[in-house]
Amino acid sequence: TAYEIYQCDWSSDVCSSDLHRWDEMRIGCFGESFPFEAMWGLLPGEWTVADIGSGTGYLVGALANVFDRVIAVEPVEEMIDLASQRADVRGRLNVEFRQGDLSDLPIGREEVDLVIAALVLHHVKDIRTAFEQRSEERRVGKECRSRWSPYH
């Protein structure tokens, strides 16, 4: 089983022969969201987190399991409806959906501690202006970091 392989002596031939299946075994033991949960576990659970461009709510439920409050911001009303009906989100008292986007965030000054904008920047027409406006108008939370991927 994946658990037995996880517990084995990695210097043995048995374990070495299964190295090519490590990702599959990790998912079997810990689930697909383990890397996110491990990283989020390093952050204070009492934080308020904003998921900008939350789309179908893929991250919202997992964030709500870790943080005291999650604000999901999405410009498309139908996406908000879809996300709010996800089994891992429906009925959660610590999740709030707001309609808006990166160029006009419906978030107050210092209302959140962490902003996540995953796979959303390619939808913004003028990224530089959006970020400049954000820093001039309101400092959302403690820190804003961005990682851009040329693939999405």
Side-chain angles (χ1 to χ4, degrees), residues 7 16 32 44 47 50 52 69 75-76 87 96 99 113 116 118 142:
Q7 293 295 315
S16 296
E32 289 190 26
W47 274 10
I52 309 302
R69 185 173 173 220
V76 180
E96 178 183 347
Q99 191 166 6
D113 301 292
I116 297 173
K142 297 179 169 111

Side-chain angles (χ1 to χ4, degrees), residues 8 17-18 26 29 37-38 56 60 62 65 78 85 93 102-103 105-107 111 125 130 138 143 145-147 151:
C8 74
S17 67
D18 286 318
R26 182 184 313 117
C29 285
E37 293 167 1
T56 63
V60 175
N65 288 333
E78 291 82 7
Q85 293 307 309
L93 299 178
L102 188 61
S103 64
L105 286 177
I107 295 175
E111 185 176 4
K125 291 179 183 169
R138 54 179 78 91
E143 190 170 341
R145 292 184 183 239
S146 175
R147 181 180 184 282
Y151 305 108

Side-chain angles (χ1 to χ4, degrees), residues 52 73 100-108 115 134 137-138 140:
I52 309 302
V73 178
D101 60 35
L102 188 61
S103 64
D104 188 24
L105 286 177
I107 295 175
V115 174
R134 296 289 56 84
E137 292 175 4
R138 54 179 78 91
V140 180

Side-chain angles (χ1 to χ4, degrees), residues 31-91:
E32 289 190 26
S33 63
F34 172 74
F36 298 113
E37 293 167 1
M39 288 184 288
W40 296 332
L42 299 172
L43 301 173
E46 65 273 5
W47 274 10
T48 295
V49 177
D51 181 11
I52 309 302
S54 58
T56 63
Y58 180 78
L59 293 178
V60 175
L63 291 170
N65 288 333
V66 177
F67 298 103
D68 283 356
R69 185 173 173 220
V70 177
I71 301 170
V73 178
E74 169 60 41
V76 180
E77 187 175 345
E78 291 82 7
M79 285 289 219
I80 294 172
D81 293 341
L82 180 65
S84 66
Q85 293 307 309
R86 290 178 64 97
D88 58 346
V89 173
R90 188 176 43 244

Side-chain angles (χ1 to χ4, degrees), residues 99-149:
Q99 191 166 6
D101 60 35
L102 188 61
S103 64
D104 188 24
L105 286 177
I107 295 175
R109 182 177 178 85
E110 298 187 17
E111 185 176 4
V112 300
D113 301 292
L114 175 66
V115 174
I116 297 173
L119 305 175
V120 71
L121 294 179
H122 62 284
H123 293 292
V124 178
K125 291 179 183 169
D126 186 353
I127 294 172
R128 174 175 284 169
T129 300
F131 276 104
E132 286 173 354
Q133 288 174 348
R134 296 289 56 84
S135 63
E136 290 173 9
E137 292 175 4
R138 54 179 78 91
R139 296 179 66 131
V140 180
K142 297 179 169 111
E143 190 170 341
C144 181
R145 292 184 183 239
S146 175
R147 181 180 184 282
W148 180 78
S149 170

